[in-house]
Amino acid sequence: MERKPIQTPDVRDNDTELVTAIQNGATDRFEELVTRYEGKLYNFGLRVCKDASDSEDLVQETFINIFRYLKDFRQETKFKNWMYRIATGVCHRMRRRSKYAPERELSLDEFLPQDLADIDTELPAWAAMPIHQVLNRELGDHLKASVKELPPQYRLVLVLRDMEGFSTDEASEILGITPTNVKVRLHRARLFLREELKGYFHDNQPHTS
Amino acid sequence: MTTNHTHHDDDHKACLALFEKLSEYIDGETDEVTCKAIRAHIEACPCCTTCLETLKRTIGFCEEVKEVPVPAGFSQKLREALKKMPPALSS
Ligand SMILES: [Zn+2]
């Protein structure tokens, strides 16, 4: 019987050549990896860690671990996904050290409208206006602060999916949880943020000009 | 108390069932049958339309959040720290 070949995800990308070269002994090129990803990791840190100082630590510890373990990386996944798995591991360890942001579950019930009469049938201005007319610096800052309010297991999923652009399967691989779990946490995290935004726009109407 | 729409209990149930699936729907991760059913419901239901659009916009904001540059001096500090690493790679 004719069988389709098993689909392996295509893990070759822009990093493959550089990573392979370093694995084959060109350790002087490690700095190229640092240049390529320090900004990305730093911003990831700002989104998931307590503050800028923790974020710097996250970048440094992540690169130290990459440097140490790159020889064992078998390129069965994209380098970037492997790097984020290391970074989230560092992040977990740092959180345990500093004991901030307690874990708690968000239940769907928290976000369910209690009464149909509570639901707006009219689209609020902040969702109806063109996004760039609404999203200013102040809102961006508020959003970042709201992301920090998320319990960590939800925050990581939201940041990976909606800010860093990973797919459900990739986030599942990075975090070591099932795709279903990624979806459940993501939905609740988004609902949490939406409530925060509703509160924000209740006090700050977007400028309609 | 009257509301400004014409839902009855069955519709309300449909809204609640849909509420749970909104993110999957937005991400295009529902199967085709579910997707069609959701679309049909939303087109007829102003509550769910608002719910969908505000959730989409929430995601849109997240996607648009800008990255900031690394702090001055950090790149240098990082490279110095990494230079102190033993050459553990090729073993
Ligand atoms: Zn509905």
Side-chain angles (χ1 to χ4, degrees):
Chain A
M1 198 173 102
E2 193 80 24
R3 236 175 227 246
K4 267 193 185 168
I6 295 165
Q7 292 281 314
T8 48
D10 190 13
V11 299
R12 289 192 64 85
D13 63 7
N14 292 337
D15 296 325
T16 308
E17 187 271 327
L18 177 56
V19 168
T20 309
I22 298 170
Q23 286 181 321
N24 290 334
T27 51
D28 55 313
R29 292 188 69 190
F30 189 76
E31 196 178 340
E32 286 178 50
L33 268 188
V34 177
T35 305
R36 198 172 284 185
Y37 284 116
E38 60 184 335
K40 203 98 201 98
L41 283 177
Y42 179 72
N43 277 275
F44 175 65
L46 285 183
R47 289 160 186 174
V48 297
C49 295
K50 191 175 54 175
D51 52 30
S53 157
D54 269 12
S55 180
E56 291 190 12
D57 289 351
L58 175 106
V59 179
Q60 183 166 322
E61 280 196 46
T62 301
F63 278 122
I64 287 175
N65 279 297
I66 292 173
F67 190 76
R68 198 171 280 155
Y69 299 113
L70 192 66
K71 63 177 184 337
D72 302 323
F73 170 51
R74 308 181 68 85
Q75 304 209 33
E76 284 159 346
T77 183
K78 286 179 181 166
F79 167 75
K80 196 177 161 206
N81 298 8
W82 183 74
M83 178 181 79
Y84 270 83
R85 194 157 68 205
I86 290 176
T88 53
V90 170
C91 173
H92 283 308
R93 286 197 293 280
M94 284 171 50
R95 202 174 57 240
R96 272 201 293 274
R97 271 207 305 265
S98 68
K99 295 198 178 80
Y100 84 99
E103 305 253 336
R104 78 177 174 93
E105 294 300 330
L106 298 176
S107 87
L108 201 59
D109 292 345
E110 292 178 40
F111 308 111
L112 284 176
Q114 295 305 307
D115 190 320
L116 264 188
D118 293 343
I119 309 176
D120 278 325
T121 50
E122 204 169 315
L123 194 57
W126 64 269
M129 288 163 61
I131 191 162
H132 290 291
Q133 276 180 40
V134 190
L135 184 56
N136 56 23
R137 198 197 168 110
E138 192 196 319
L139 174 58
D141 288 345
H142 178 79
L143 189 67
K144 286 179 192 171
S146 301
V147 170
K148 299 244 168 157
E149 298 291 316
L150 278 164
Q153 71 272 39
Y154 294 88
R155 189 192 320 148
L156 275 168
V157 171
L158 181 111
V159 168
L160 289 172
R161 286 283 285 110
D162 288 345
M163 298 175 124
E164 307 283 336
F166 289 103
S167 70
T168 299
D169 286 342
E170 287 174 319
S172 144
E173 187 199 326
I174 289 167
L175 296 171
I177 60 176
T178 63
T180 304
N181 218 333
V182 169
K183 289 189 199 180
V184 167
R185 289 189 198 179
L186 178 64
H187 187 45
R188 292 175 193 182
R190 285 169 171 176
L191 292 169
F192 177 96
L193 283 190
R194 181 174 64 173
E195 290 310 307
E196 292 287 313
L197 288 169
K198 278 183 190 167
Y200 175 83
F201 285 113
H202 184 76
D203 305 327
N204 307 272
Q205 282 298 315
H207 301 288
T208 40
S209 57
Chain B
M1 191 185 146
T2 54
T3 52
N4 54 346
H5 40 80
T6 55
H7 276 82
H8 46 77
D9 281 353
D10 282 351
D11 283 343
H12 190 188
K13 257 184 222 152
C15 296
L16 291 182
L18 187 146
F19 184 80
E20 213 168 324
K21 294 194 163 75
L22 274 183
S23 275
E24 269 182 287
Y25 175 73
I26 291 169
D27 294 335
E29 290 176 338
T30 49
D31 61 75
E32 209 179 317
V33 177
T34 314
C35 178
K36 271 189 187 154
I38 292 176
R39 192 177 306 136
H41 175 95
I42 287 174
E43 275 170 12
C45 177
C47 299
C48 286
T49 301
T50 302
C51 203
L52 175 76
E53 292 304 322
T54 51
L55 196 60
K56 270 193 195 164
R57 181 48 61 94
T58 302
I59 300 163
F61 286 148
C62 288
E63 289 170 345
E64 292 292 324
V65 167
K66 295 279 174 290
E67 296 198 341
V68 299
V70 298
F74 174 64
S75 284
Q76 191 59 34
K77 218 168 67 185
L78 176 65
R79 278 162 180 72
E80 275 159 24
L82 293 173
K83 278 208 184 86
K84 292 191 193 118
M85 293 281 300
L89 256 165
S90 45
S91 64

